[in-house]
Amino acid sequence: QSALTQPASVSGSPGQSITISCTGISSDVGTYNVVSWYQQHPGKAPKLMIYEGSKRPSGVSNRFSGSKSGNTASLTISGLQAEDEADYYCCSHVGYSTWVFGGGTKVTVL
Amino acid sequence: QVQLVESGGGVVQPGRSLRLSCAASGFTFNNYAIHWVRQVPGKGLEWLTVMSYDGNNKYYADSVKGRFTISRDDSKNTLYLQMNSLRTEDTAIYYCATETWGSYYFNYWGQGTLVTVSS
């Protein structure tokens, strides 16, 4: 199973909105509405930010939102803040109880 | 609060074995599936394996199938990853993570343990 495709980097100024895409194939992202997104700061463990494509866990800022169209899932960060600078990974269940991650996107706050 | 603590990492020679542990606290251990995910330093995340909440189901990524074995001891609230025939490309930080079975996302993560495979 190949990794999901994410842009290597995305940047934005404080207060702006940015969107990270996560492209799969019809048998993963396109079939299952179970894409999740994780934030990882340097030296730290990943943290769940979005699950089931668009749901936020308790405690996650509503500046983070998720969506899906066809074989592409997206994570949008609104009102970008310095603390949002981190790596972001998408992940999808791909059947037969296996999972695949995207390659990761480094978000830089300019 | 929910806590997952990995241990057992270290330096090991190629071809040798290592067993990682993931000690859980703060939640009902046998209500959750537990996964192992690894990350080569500076690189992305790679899903490796999962064991269901009841221990009856285990699934592996092709990259570790036949070499790694996942197990759990509910009496100790601990999950294990037995890694055999280690290769240099297995060098990574290994994380355990919980999943409410059937939810398909990882809600809690440990801090990771570093495994270095080198001669």
Side-chain angles (χ1 to χ4, degrees), chain B residues 88-103:
Chain B
T88 55
E89 56 263 38
D90 295 319
T91 294
I93 300 167
Y94 286 72
Y95 296 99
C96 59
T98 62
E99 178 213 352
T100 302
W101 187 243
S103 67

Side-chain angles (χ1 to χ4, degrees), chain A residues 32-98:
Chain A
Y32 301 97
N33 193 28
V34 290
V35 173
S36 52
W37 290 90
Y38 303 87
Q39 176 193 64
Q40 187 180 35
H41 288 107
K44 301 295 186 181
K47 174 188 174 184
L48 177 67
M49 304 301 285
I50 296 287
Y51 66 98
E52 293 178 7
S54 60
K55 298 179 180 179
R56 275 188 313 275
S58 174
V60 171
S61 171
N62 60 8
R63 298 185 298 105
F64 292 84
S65 62
S67 62
K68 192 188 89 164
S69 177
N71 295 343
T72 298
S74 298
L75 174 71
T76 298
I77 309 174
S78 305
L80 198 61
Q81 299 181 1
E83 68 207 47
D84 300 331
E85 189 162 290
D87 294 325
Y88 291 84
Y89 295 90
C90 62
C91 181
S92 179
H93 177 249
V94 294
Y96 302 103
S97 289
T98 57

Side-chain angles (χ1 to χ4, degrees), chain B residues 57-106:
Chain B
N57 300 288
K58 309 174 189 180
Y59 302 95
Y60 298 90
D62 288 344
S63 58
V64 302
K65 197 175 296 182
R67 297 191 300 126
F68 290 11
T69 301
I70 191 171
S71 62
R72 62 194 290 162
D73 184 341
D74 287 353
S75 68
K76 296 182 178 179
N77 281 6
T78 300
L79 184 84
Y80 302 100
L81 183 66
Q82 178 67 41
M83 306 187 294
N84 298 331
S85 303
L86 283 163
R87 307 166 180 167
T88 55
E89 56 263 38
D90 295 319
T91 294
I93 300 167
Y94 286 72
Y95 296 99
C96 59
T98 62
E99 178 213 352
T100 302
W101 187 243
S103 67
Y104 305 121
Y105 61 87
F106 314 120

